[in-house]
Amino acid sequence: ETGVTQTPRHLVMGMTNKKSLKCEQHLGHNAMYWYKQSAKKPLELMFVYSLEERVENNSVPSRFSPECPNSSHLFLHLHTLQPEDSALYLCASSQKIGPSNQPQHFGDGTRLSIL
Amino acid sequence: KQEVTQIPAALSVPEGENLVLNCSFTDSAIYNLQWFRQDPGKGLTSLLLIQSSQREQTSGRLNASLDKSSGRSTLYIAASQPGDSATYLCAVRRAAGNKLTFGGGTRVLVKP
C-alpha cells in the first residue's frame, strides 16, 4: 500500500462509547496530523506529531486523545463524545514539521457520527 | 489571527468553460499557499503549492497565481470537464509553526 490509510471509513457511536480511529502512512514521513472537517466549517487542525512526539494541540477537548506509537501510525482515541463532534476526521502526513514547501498528504478520512 | 475566505462557495459551469476560483487571506506573512481538491467522501489531494516568493504555478490545465501583498490567490482551470467537479480548498501556511489555515472551499459542478 502507498499513501495515507485511515480506518474505519465510517463509524457510528453513542456518546458513552469508547472507540479509536487509526491512521497509517507508507510515505516515510516524520510528521503526522489530525484534522476535523465539520459541515459548513473550514478544516481545523487538531494535533501535530513529529517523530512520535506531540508538538501541537489546538485547544482540543480532552475527550479526544491522540497517540503516536511510531512515525508510521497515528491513533485518535475517542470517549464520551458529543453530537457536535460528528464530522469527517482526516489524517495527514508530511516529511517534517515547520516551514516547508513539501505538501501534506491526506487520507480519505473517517466519517464519525455520534448518536 | 489568519482567516482564509473562498468565494463563491459554489459554482456551476457548462463543460468547456474556464473556471476561476478565488481565495483571500488576511495576514500576508505566509510561507506558502496550497490548493487542494476534495471529492465527496474523500480526503484532500494537493494540486498546486505556491511558495511566498512565487507569483504563479502551473500544472497542466491548472494555473494558480499568488499576490501576497493583497492577500489573494486565484486558481484557474482551463477548458473544464465533468471530472473537474469537486470541492476546491485553499490553505495558507504561516511563516512559523505547523499550521495550515484552510478556507471553506468552493464546490464546483461542471455540467456535460
Side-chain angles (χ1 to χ4, degrees):
Chain A
E1 283 195 55
T2 58
V4 181
T5 305
Q6 290 187 244
T7 54
R9 291 298 315 279
H10 303 273
L11 180 61
V12 179
M13 58 187 284
M15 288 192 284
T16 58
N17 291 157
K18 290 184 181 181
K19 295 285 184 183
S20 297
L21 311 184
K22 180 182 176 182
C23 176
E24 187 173 357
Q25 58 97 0
H26 305 273
L27 300 167
H29 290 166
N30 292 318
M32 296 186 78
Y33 311 78
W34 279 117
Y35 287 88
K36 177 182 179 182
Q37 188 175 34
S38 306
K40 300 180 183 178
K41 285 181 71 176
L43 213 67
E44 301 171 85
L45 179 66
M46 300 174 73
F47 300 104
V48 180
Y49 274 82
S50 173
L51 295 170
E52 303 135 51
E53 181 182 341
R54 190 189 316 176
V55 296
E56 193 156 339
N57 174 348
N58 280 307
S59 304
V60 180
S62 59
R63 58 186 184 268
F64 295 91
S65 175
E67 178 191 2
C68 188
N70 55 62
S71 59
S72 299
H73 293 85
L74 185 66
F75 294 90
L76 188 62
H77 304 300
L78 317 169
H79 63 98
T80 57
L81 295 193
Q82 304 299 311
E84 62 265 28
D85 297 323
S86 297
L88 181 68
Y89 289 84
L90 290 164
C91 173
S93 70
S94 65
Q95 270 193 335
K96 59 174 186 172
I97 60 168
S100 169
N101 287 312
Q102 295 296 319
Q104 291 183 14
H105 296 257
F106 284 77
D108 282 340
T110 294
R111 173 70 62 187
L112 177 64
S113 299
I114 306 300
L115 301 178
Chain B
K1 179 187 171 189
Q2 178 74 275
E3 291 183 5
V4 181
T5 304
Q6 292 186 246
I7 294 174
L11 185 60
S12 180
V13 298
E15 182 176 2
E17 196 165 294
N18 296 332
L19 284 163
V20 180
L21 308 179
N22 298 302
C23 173
S24 61
F25 46 94
T26 54
D27 185 351
S28 62
I30 65 169
Y31 193 81
N32 57 41
L33 181 146
Q34 245 179 298
W35 282 95
F36 293 89
R37 170 186 171 135
Q38 186 176 29
D39 293 289
K42 296 283 190 176
L44 278 63
T45 301
S46 180
L47 297 174
L48 291 167
L49 184 149
I50 312 178
Q51 300 175 38
S52 61
S53 58
Q54 295 177 318
R55 298 282 294 182
E56 66 176 338
Q57 275 283 0
T58 299
S59 176
R61 293 185 294 113
L62 275 60
N63 175 277
S65 66
L66 175 63
D67 184 342
K68 204 172 75 159
S69 60
S70 67
R72 291 179 189 172
S73 177
T74 303
L75 178 67
Y76 300 89
I77 303 177
S80 61
Q81 302 168 359
D84 295 328
S85 299
T87 297
Y88 292 84
L89 296 148
C90 74
V92 296
R93 184 176 203 125
R94 59 189 183 194
N98 311 301
K99 192 173 181 178
L100 281 178
T101 302
F102 282 83
T106 295
R107 192 170 65 253
V108 170
L109 175 64
V110 180
K111 295 177 286 188

